Every structure is written in C-alpha cells, then in structure tokens.
Amino acid sequence: MKKIFSIFTIGSLVILTSCVNGDDDFNNNQSQPYQVPVEPLLTNAQKELMDQMETPSVNLNVFRFFQHYLATTIYRNDARFNFTGTRKVPDNMWLALYTDVLGNLNQAKKIIPSEVKPPQLTQVAWDKQQANKLAILNLLEIYTYQVLVDSFGNVPYSEAEKPETFVLPKYDDAKTIYSDLINRLNSAIATLDAGYPSFETGDNIYNGNVGDWITMANSLKLKLGINLADVNPTLAKQTVESAFTGGVLLENSENALFQYDATSPNFNRVYAEVIASNRNDFVAEEGIVDVMNTLNDPRRPFYFTTVNGDYIGGTVGLTNTYSDYSHIGSSLLAPNKPGVLFDASEVNFYLAEAAARGYNVGATAQQYYNDAITASMEQWGVSSTSITTYLADPAVVFSSTNWKQSIGQQAWIAMFNRGFESWNFYRRLDYPVLTAPNAVAAAEGKVPTRLTYPINEQTVNGTNWSQASSAIGGDKLTTKVFWDIN
C-alpha cells in the first residue's frame, strides 16, 4: 500500500459552504496552497468515501441498525432511528460526501489540465493518460452521487460542484440525476483506454489499472440499472444488458478494495471504532444471528464471536449487556483489512436479479445466485465442501417463483459488513422482512426508507430544501426514494 501522508491536511482544501457571506472574495480560499498534486486529493477522496461506507460509527453510518446486523450496548437513540439530535447523522454523512469526497475530486479535476507533460511521452500518450485520470475521477463522483441519491432522494447536483457560483445550490430531481449518471458512465467507459496508464500513484483501489476501472465502471452501471428495474423497466434492461456486455466484476480477484494501512490514523474504520478506541459499543443483532444459526451458515465464525460456544444476538433498540452476546468477529477487525466498494458477490446478486427479471445477461438466475453465495463464502475462507453443503440446503436453494425472497435474504447475509448496499437490496426487493425496534416513533414504527435532509440545509438553504422536500413527498424517514415504488 502506498502510504497516505497528506490525507488529513488535504481534506480541508475544498469545503462547500454552510453559510452566506456578501464579501466579494467570499469564495476565495486565502489559505489554500497555490498548487496541490492530484494524487493526494485522489487518495483522500477514496479514503473518505471508503470510511463513510465502512465505518460503524453511530455519528456517520447507521445502516447496520436498519438491517439488524448490530445492536448497541449504550447508545439506544441511534438504533431507534433518532438521528437529528446531538449527533445529526444526516448532516455528518452529507458533509463527508459533499466536502471530503466530491470536494477533493472536483479540485483534482481542475488540476489535471495544468499538469505538465513529461518529455519522454508523446502528446498522444499524455492525452490518453490524462483522459484516463479524468474518467476515473468521474467514476468516483458517480459512485458518490449514487449514494447521496439513494440515501436522500433529490439532492444538489448540477450546481453542487460550483460553490464559487452557487452558494446555495438547488436540489435536482433524483430520477434526472440517475439518468445523467448513466450517461456519464457511458462517456467514462468510452473514454477509458486500457492501452495507456492513468495514475502512477495515489490510487489505493486499483493502483491505476485502467482495465480494472473499466470493469468497475460497468459494474456501477449495472447497479444503477438494476435499481431502476421497477420504475423504468426499459431503461433498466438497456442499462443492465449494456453493462454486462461491457464486462462486469464476477470474481473476487476483481473486487474494488481500498487498501487501508495497519498504522494510525489510516487503519480500517471498523478496527478504529472497535479496537483502537477500546470501546464495547456493539454486539451482533439477533435478526442476522438467528437466521444464520437456522441455516448453520459457515460464515458465522468470521462474522461473530461466540458466548459459551453459541452465537447469540442482542436486540436492536435496547441496551444490551456486552458480555451476554456475540461480538463482531476478529476477521473483521484487522487494522489493515481492505474496505470494499464493490465485490463479486454483490454483482452476481445483481445479475441473478436481472436474469430473474428476464434480462439477457448470459446465464440463469440460479447460476448467478449460487455464484454470489459462493463468492461471498470464498471471501471469508469457507471451504468448498461447506459451500456445496450450504447450497444444497432446501432453505437456501434458489426459488424461481419467489426469487425476490431468495436473493433478498442471501444478499442480506452476504452484505453483513456492507450495511448501505444491504439497505438498497432490502428496499428494492422487500426481503428479508425487517421490523423496527419496539417503541420507535422516529420512523413511524418502520425501518427507514431514506435519510432526512441535514438540519443545516433547513436553516441555511431553506428555500431549496423546502422545494425538494415537497417534491419528494415530505422530508421524512418513511418517504421512499424514486426507484423504491413497491
């Protein structure tokens, strides 16, 4: 792994404003260095994105509570979906993605045209390399905007990257954003040329390998396409089949992994929140534990610890005694465990769903379903014999008549450490059946289907916030994003 030396100084370079100032030089950052290399901006953006998706911090990422993966020992409010009190979870996530991810990517894109061509390169080779760099930066932007749309609904998009022009950006229609993201993916895929290099340093996901980024781009296109399956079947089918033809991520060797370091402050965020901070805040939740116990799932030793030889889950929304329940397994707690942005299990589940919907993706839904489970288990080191036994279990065997339940439940198990992606599967397929904690009023007694907009947006960008809230049907945890129509 390339050491990340400049992450925490670079992160403050590009800040989207949260207040209004009438001074002429309001958007002129006097403290910004005259020239910042692209590479640390890229590394920082990748790390901030991965941190947000990976962390179990109750200040930033609460999707493991939605999905009944973790329960708390202390902080019940977060597990009861009260996110707008002291912690302001939506504000924190919004700020992290817009400022620390998109802000750094935007700044990097501005710098690339001013980079100087090395004398040993031809102009054609240099132009191709720079085009590859810009395309990779755009892919990371597209991924980030997809997360924002899927979390909040309508969000600032067309004006968000122009803080020098739009201090208070408007919110764009989520469906329109998705269509534009697909167009941008098509453009990036057409631009990327594996015959030329990209970033020589700074890329801690694929180390500048353009071929791998093309595979990731098609996989991201597949994800956006499958999310549209219920709301725009024609565009969904077209997008999914085009992505499959272009080549998607099917093997674990192709996974999009961010390489964390084993030293502070750049270690894996699960390790940071559990081990490095010496906290006993989380236990495994009974929802996932009980289902995996029933199935005798061989991933349990990797996901959880035992209590007197048994896997026992606590209850989300209650105060659970740490010593009474299973904890996060040691396999998830290595300081340098890579963070996952995309993996083969996720993509094969998308293809299983696509095949079940009648799309032309080269194999049957059952084949992709089995491949998805296999890829998940192989990631954790489960033996081939155990995988074969598991796939033969009648409770696991793919059901063509109730494919949403089959895919939904098995994707839920496979996505144990990827709460956000699991939440997307759940909202799209409506499986597994999940319930809200008892006495939860924050989401009308339901599992949230979106995050509410940040409180800061209400107070600072009030007009645009009000218009967006009205457009989506109300700024509530139970309002559905545009593609979640069932």
Side-chain angles (χ1 to χ4, degrees):
M1 172 181 171
K2 304 171 184 66
K3 302 293 184 182
I4 310 170
F5 294 112
S6 304
I7 282 177
F8 297 101
T9 56
I10 296 297
S12 61
L13 289 177
V14 184
I15 305 295
L16 295 181
T17 179
S18 62
C19 60
V20 179
N21 188 311
D23 293 346
D24 291 339
D25 61 352
F26 167 62
N27 289 300
N28 183 14
N29 186 350
Q30 301 292 339
S31 64
Q32 180 173 323
Y34 288 107
Q35 186 173 359
V36 181
V38 170
E39 288 77 12
L41 289 168
L42 169 63
T43 305
N44 191 34
Q46 289 181 344
K47 182 180 184 297
E48 294 294 341
L49 176 59
M50 191 69 259
D51 284 356
Q52 174 59 45
M53 305 306 291
E54 179 90 354
T55 183
S57 170
V58 293
N59 295 297
L60 288 164
N61 185 323
V62 291
F63 303 113
R64 289 177 177 89
F65 300 141
F66 292 6
Q67 298 304 105
H68 287 252
Y69 290 149
L70 295 181
T72 57
T73 60
I74 301 174
Y75 304 111
R76 293 187 302 171
N77 280 344
D78 310 285
R80 291 181 173 182
F81 315 147
N82 295 315
F83 306 137
T84 57
T86 304
R87 299 188 192 285
K88 299 181 181 177
V89 174
D91 295 65
N92 297 334
M93 180 176 175
W94 181 282
L95 186 64
L97 294 177
Y98 272 112
T99 300
D100 299 330
V101 181
L102 293 172
N104 281 283
L105 292 172
N106 187 43
Q107 183 69 7
K109 287 165 64 176
K110 291 177 180 178
I111 293 171
I112 283 182
S114 65
E115 290 187 313
V116 178
K117 181 181 76 68
Q120 69 271 21
L121 289 184
T122 65
Q123 190 62 49
V124 171
W126 176 247
D127 290 343
K128 288 284 190 178
Q129 182 174 0
Q130 298 305 89
N132 281 338
K133 289 180 180 180
L134 283 170
I136 290 170
L137 294 173
N138 275 312
L139 289 179
L140 290 166
E141 278 193 351
I142 293 165
Y143 188 107
T144 305
Y145 275 117
Q146 172 255 316
V147 172
L148 283 163
V149 169
D150 291 353
S151 299
F152 296 98
N154 294 4
V155 294
Y157 178 66
S158 59
E159 297 178 357
E161 294 184 1
K162 303 172 184 177
E164 67 279 2
T165 304
F166 300 101
V167 177
L168 301 176
K170 70 176 182 180
Y171 289 57
D172 293 81
D173 173 69
K175 185 182 298 186
T176 303
I177 296 173
Y178 245 63
S179 295
D180 191 61
L181 294 180
I182 292 171
N183 289 336
R184 290 177 63 183
L185 277 169
N186 289 333
S187 178
I189 292 167
T191 297
L192 287 165
D193 189 334
Y196 295 88
S198 65
F199 293 99
E200 296 178 1
T201 62
D203 176 10
N204 274 28
I205 297 176
Y206 284 130
N207 295 313
N209 187 306
V210 177
D212 287 339
W213 278 108
I214 293 173
T215 301
M216 187 271 194
N218 279 304
S219 303
L220 181 54
K221 183 176 172 181
L222 170 65
K223 180 198 289 189
L224 268 68
I226 207 68
N227 273 348
L228 294 174
D230 291 326
V231 69
N232 190 339
T234 300
L235 179 59
K237 185 175 187 292
Q238 173 188 332
T239 302
V240 167
E241 291 180 352
S242 173
F244 173 75
T245 301
V248 296
L249 196 160
L250 295 173
E251 304 291 337
N252 284 325
S253 60
E254 302 170 309
N255 291 350
L257 307 176
F258 181 86
Q259 300 299 317
Y260 281 106
D261 200 357
T263 57
S264 177
N266 300 316
F267 33 54
N268 179 282
R269 301 318 299 167
V270 180
Y271 172 88
E273 294 293 332
V274 177
I275 303 297
S277 55
N278 194 30
R279 299 182 67 91
N280 298 329
D281 293 351
F282 306 112
V283 296
E285 212 279 333
E286 61 186 352
I288 187 72
V289 172
D290 290 352
V291 168
M292 294 182 75
N293 280 341
T294 300
L295 296 174
N296 196 27
D297 196 297
R299 286 165 288 192
R300 287 175 298 168
F302 304 98
Y303 286 9
F304 319 118
T305 63
T306 59
V307 180
N308 298 322
D310 296 321
Y311 299 101
I312 305 174
T315 304
V316 69
L318 299 183
T319 300
N320 300 276
T321 303
Y322 187 74
S323 59
D324 290 347
Y325 300 104
S326 297
H327 310 149
I328 297 172
S330 59
S331 296
L332 289 158
L333 296 175
N336 61 343
K337 182 184 181 304
V340 181
L341 280 181
F342 254 116
D343 63 25
S345 179
E346 175 189 355
V347 173
N348 277 285
F349 277 125
Y350 292 147
L351 290 171
E353 181 178 343
R357 291 179 183 275
Y359 301 173
N360 183 12
V361 288
T364 65
Q366 180 178 351
Q367 181 62 58
Y368 283 126
Y369 171 83
N370 288 343
D371 288 348
I373 296 171
T374 299
S376 172
M377 292 195 173
E378 287 178 346
Q379 273 186 291
W380 299 103
V382 175
S383 70
S384 58
T385 301
S386 295
I387 295 173
T388 300
T389 300
Y390 185 83
L391 292 174
D393 186 329
V396 174
V397 171
F398 181 76
S399 170
S400 59
T401 57
N402 200 357
W403 57 267
K404 286 189 175 183
Q405 182 175 359
S406 291
I407 296 172
Q409 176 155 301
Q410 286 300 321
W412 175 58
I413 296 172
M415 299 290 120
F416 173 67
N417 197 42
R418 304 187 62 207
F420 178 83
E421 303 304 341
S422 178
W423 186 43
N424 266 11
F425 273 102
Y426 165 71
R427 290 183 292 171
R428 191 175 61 252
L429 298 175
D430 300 311
Y431 284 100
V433 177
L434 300 175
T435 59
N438 291 333
V440 168
E444 302 172 20
K446 302 175 183 178
V447 175
T449 48
R450 67 178 286 273
L451 293 180
T452 52
Y453 290 126
I455 293 174
N456 194 52
E457 282 292 294
Q458 301 178 33
T459 57
V460 174
N461 197 11
T463 299
N464 289 319
W465 164 79
S466 179
Q467 292 174 351
S469 299
S470 177
I472 66 172
D475 187 10
K476 301 182 294 184
L477 290 170
T478 53
T479 300
K480 293 187 175 185
V481 295
F482 79 99
W483 50 257
D484 180 14
I485 63 173
N486 294 326

